[in-house]
Amino acid sequence: MSEIDVVLPDGSARTLPEGSTALDLAAQIGKRLAKDALCADVNGDLLDLNVALPPGALVSIVTPASARGREVLRHSTAHVLAQAVTRLWPGAHFAIGPSIENGFYYDFALPDDGRFSDDDLERLEAEMRVIVNEDQPFDRSEHTIEEGLELFRDQPFKVEIINAVALGASEEDLTEVASPSVVSAYANSARFVDLCRGPHVPSTARLGHFKLMRVAGAYWRGDEKNQQLQRVYGTAWESAAALDAHLLQLVEAEKRDHRRLAVDLDLLSFPHELGGGLAVWHPKGGIVRKQMEDYSRERHLHGGYQFVVTPHLANERLFETSGHLGFYRDGMYPPMELDNGTYYMKPMNCPMHCLIYKSRPRSYRELPLRLFELGTVYRYERAGTLHGLMRIRGFTQDDSHIYCTADQLQDEIASLLEFVMSVLRAFGFSDFTANLSTKNPAKYVGGHEIWEQSTEALRLALERFGLSYEVKKGDAAFYGPKIDIDVRDAIGRTWQLSTIQCDFNSPERFELEYVGADNQRHRPIMLHRALFGSIERFFGVVLEHYAGNLPTWLCAEQVRVLGVRDDHDAYATAVAASLAAHDVRVSTDVATEPLGSRIRKAKLEKIPYILVVGDDDVAKTTIGVNARGSNDPERGVRLDAFTTRLTLEIADHGSPEDH
RNA sequence: GCCUGGGUAGCUCAGUCGGUAGAGCAACGCAUUCGUAAUGCGUAGGUCAAGGGUUCGAAUCCCUUCCCAGGCUCCA
């Protein structure tokens, strides 16, 4: 019998009998690897373990505790879910079931327009465990288009996918089948076959560390005009420990949910009486927000911006001119009909800023003209999309509109990028990435040249700044290309905060002009930009980033002074007064309750510094300093030394945890 | 807007078969005077989201609306 050589990832070669599979290779390398192996990377393609290796192939064995291994586990678990559904709901149609971050989902159409309820998850999970225990193989087979259509004749979604791929109509469906001409299928048993490109684990027995999480509705092919399918989400891992760790992480993430923290820390609330998506800010939230706004104003003041103020509503003529009524009427609060016309709440500040620009003739000497406003806008977001502060119906943008010439664009954007990141860094973010959204050929206004020129200006500014970015083709708004800036937070989630958008539409619609050095009239380019995006959303992101342990400068209460006994209260009050004289936000909690109880209360409020003063301190003018995040208090600290340290920390935007 | 699940005291939740409202924490009062995450006792607190229906009787069953959660879609 002839032999073949294959190459391992470390560059070493292995010799195997011709016809050997990836599993044979794994077995030759080691018993343990053969036991762990899920599938194999052969010359860059992920394949099942039982395929014969071609001579000279570069092979790596994929094991469960790897990104690709988990992906295969999750996808295979999705097949098990589909089989469980077809067992419990005979006649169910199944659509697609990919692996996703941390797990998988699968979409179904149940017989008689049936719906899953939460109780069904338990039944499904039990059935899935039965399938896992049955140790069913994943048997791959390949078919012609005609055979595939016959094989899945009872599964309309599969038929649609096969046809779409055969016609070359859908690239994304290629993930479901082998190639445009070969239909691949995986059979777990005579009764369950699913269309799939693969690869899969060798047997269902290799699965088991999964949990079904929730049911949801999801539109076929993600289009709300299509049938809504029943989706089941699950999470799946390589081990019980990994699954438990994930579930624990979900619990931890819940603890830093801004909606939870907003209640616990008494920052703000969403009273039912107000209606959905509208918040009231309580005193403590009000202080934090004021700190954010003050900082923003301060930076803009020194950043060459001019402050403007505009009203919350306007006559409909304004929004006809701006085009908002034409394009976004559904997203606006409905009209107020009055004797002298029809009024709308403003969904954006830009039309108002254009009116300010237009209030008198402009010279090229004034450009770039940067108008800034903390402008509150109202958008009637669809009920199902609301999400705490992150998606809200009334919110305040740190909004600016910059009017400039095409020549000024690149410099303006480069300096804007610097400004944006400098401001975001002041709030503790340091990991940024950008997205550059380019023209959607199906939906845009403006000439080819201006799109090219400004997209290039955005791109060059990004490169000049050295910010890593991805190009999102066709993602631009109809009126111009844009840069969005994502930040990564303390637990690795990314949030889109800042946006810099070119607008070729508004200057046209408002007929904005400036007189150039050539004494001719020219049309300026307009930039929309927001750094926080919305103050509400930014507040939510910051709160979650710090899990409520805000840096000292942002905290509503920075210090609380506790006397050990009530005869220390006078000294505690004096300490507080001394700190307050340095603009520290400080309170005292008089000794009617035991010290331990008052300390606990202050810790739950996440106050950066709890100062405890007793006999020693009264005698020596010292304090006991209990810093947030630390379990051993410092005794006998001189008050003036602490005051210096604290005021420095506040000025530096630091936290007690930094020391 | 669509799918699923919810809404009981400020918060977290219990409330069985339809029989008329409960706990812990928080609040308030009194006592306690205490050196680093819960002192004790007591008091008060509810149109059970709102409205309608079924019933002798509804937190509980039905309908409508509002609000919330997780998804889908959307996000100028």
Side-chain angles (χ1 to χ4, degrees), chain A residues 314-356:
Chain A
N315 192 288
E316 67 179 336
R317 288 194 305 270
L318 180 68
F319 300 119
E320 275 162 9
T321 304
S322 70
H324 288 106
L325 276 173
F327 290 108
Y328 306 110
R329 184 187 296 267
D330 291 348
M332 292 169 68
Y333 271 86
M336 288 163 264
E337 312 283 354
L338 300 166
D339 316 351
N340 62 344
T342 300
Y343 287 75
Y344 285 90
M345 302 303 293
K346 66 174 169 181
M348 293 199 81
N349 301 301
C350 38
M352 312 258 187
H353 290 186
C354 286
L355 294 182
I356 294 169

Side-chain angles (χ1 to χ4, degrees), chain A residues 167-405:
Chain A
L167 290 170
S170 171
E171 272 181 39
E172 72 190 274
D173 285 337
L174 271 176
T175 60
E176 300 291 318
V177 300
S179 79
S181 55
V182 179
V183 172
S184 56
Y186 280 80
N188 289 117
S189 70
R191 282 163 52 209
F192 184 79
V193 184
D194 195 358
L195 180 69
C196 188
R197 180 171 66 171
H200 279 288
V201 301
S203 151
T204 58
R206 302 297 300 274
L207 310 171
H209 307 295
F210 60 81
K211 181 174 164 58
L212 297 185
M213 304 300 282
R214 57 183 66 93
V215 301
Y219 301 102
W220 168 237
R221 293 206 179 286
D223 186 335
E224 71 178 324
K225 290 189 214 59
N226 287 339
Q227 178 184 359
Q228 190 166 49
L229 305 173
Q230 295 288 300
R231 176 171 295 180
V232 176
Y233 282 95
T235 185
W237 297 84
E238 68 275 13
S239 65
L243 173 63
D244 289 346
H246 174 66
L247 296 177
L248 189 69
Q249 200 193 326
L250 292 180
V251 174
E252 288 299 315
E254 213 170 301
K255 282 188 200 156
R256 63 166 72 213
D257 189 305
H258 73 280
R259 294 163 299 183
R260 177 80 254 144
L261 291 168
V263 174
D264 289 348
L265 303 179
D266 194 16
L267 300 173
L268 52 95
S269 58
F270 294 88
H272 289 187
E273 293 87 337
L274 273 185
L278 297 168
V280 289
W281 292 71
H282 302 188
K284 287 179 187 172
I287 291 178
V288 180
R289 177 174 174 146
K290 178 177 179 294
Q291 290 301 113
M292 291 180 168
E293 291 181 351
D294 287 352
Y295 183 76
S296 171
R297 286 202 179 90
E298 180 68 16
R299 292 299 305 270
H300 283 88
L301 195 63
H302 293 104
Y305 289 82
Q306 309 196 51
F307 285 46
V308 297
V309 178
T310 63
H312 288 212
L313 42 76
N315 192 288
E316 67 179 336
R317 288 194 305 270
L318 180 68
F319 300 119
E320 275 162 9
T321 304
S322 70
H324 288 106
L325 276 173
F327 290 108
Y328 306 110
R329 184 187 296 267
D330 291 348
M332 292 169 68
Y333 271 86
M336 288 163 264
E337 312 283 354
L338 300 166
D339 316 351
N340 62 344
T342 300
Y343 287 75
Y344 285 90
M345 302 303 293
K346 66 174 169 181
M348 293 199 81
N349 301 301
C350 38
M352 312 258 187
H353 290 186
C354 286
L355 294 182
I356 294 169
Y357 181 95
K358 226 186 136 153
S359 63
R360 62 174 170 78
R362 299 286 174 180
S363 154
Y364 73 98
R365 295 172 198 273
E366 293 181 73
L367 307 185
L369 178 71
R370 308 183 186 93
L371 303 181
F372 173 76
E373 174 174 20
L374 291 176
T376 303
V377 298
Y378 298 89
R379 298 180 183 177
Y380 193 73
E381 303 285 0
R382 293 163 83 174
T385 63
L386 298 173
H387 182 92
L389 291 171
M390 304 306 191
R391 191 81 177 267
I392 190 171
R393 285 183 174 147
F395 58 96
T396 302
Q397 297 177 307
D398 58 333
D399 204 4
S400 177
H401 296 92
I402 300 172
Y403 302 87
C404 65
T405 69

Side-chain angles (χ1 to χ4, degrees), chain A residues 41-183:
Chain A
D41 178 331
V42 181
N43 295 326
D45 293 325
L46 277 189
L47 299 175
D48 292 333
L49 280 180
N50 61 4
V51 295
L53 296 172
L58 180 62
V59 184
S60 68
I61 303 296
V62 175
T63 51
S66 66
R68 290 188 302 179
R70 286 186 200 104
E71 213 171 290
V72 171
L73 276 178
R74 287 164 184 163
H75 189 189
S76 296
T77 307
H79 277 231
V80 172
L81 168 63
Q83 185 180 169
V85 168
T86 56
R87 283 186 179 190
L88 296 176
W89 282 265
H93 295 148
F94 39 108
I96 57 167
S99 70
I100 53 174
E101 193 181 4
N102 301 327
F104 59 90
Y105 68 79
Y106 214 120
D107 289 345
F108 305 93
L110 299 182
D112 307 317
D113 207 18
R115 309 269 161 77
F116 289 126
S117 76
D118 286 358
D119 300 336
D120 293 329
L121 292 181
E122 217 168 298
R123 293 170 59 209
L124 277 170
E125 215 176 286
E127 193 63 32
M128 287 171 73
R129 306 227 175 262
V130 170
I131 294 166
V132 165
N133 288 333
E134 285 174 2
D135 191 10
Q136 299 176 359
F138 277 84
D139 280 335
R140 182 188 176 89
S141 58
E142 297 192 345
H143 312 270
T144 64
I145 297 291
E146 291 70 26
E147 289 166 354
L149 290 172
E150 174 59 21
L151 185 60
F152 292 103
R153 66 175 186 279
D154 295 330
Q155 290 292 340
F157 299 110
K158 302 296 175 184
V159 166
E160 192 176 327
I161 290 167
I162 294 170
N163 280 327
V165 170
L167 290 170
S170 171
E171 272 181 39
E172 72 190 274
D173 285 337
L174 271 176
T175 60
E176 300 291 318
V177 300
S179 79
S181 55
V182 179
V183 172

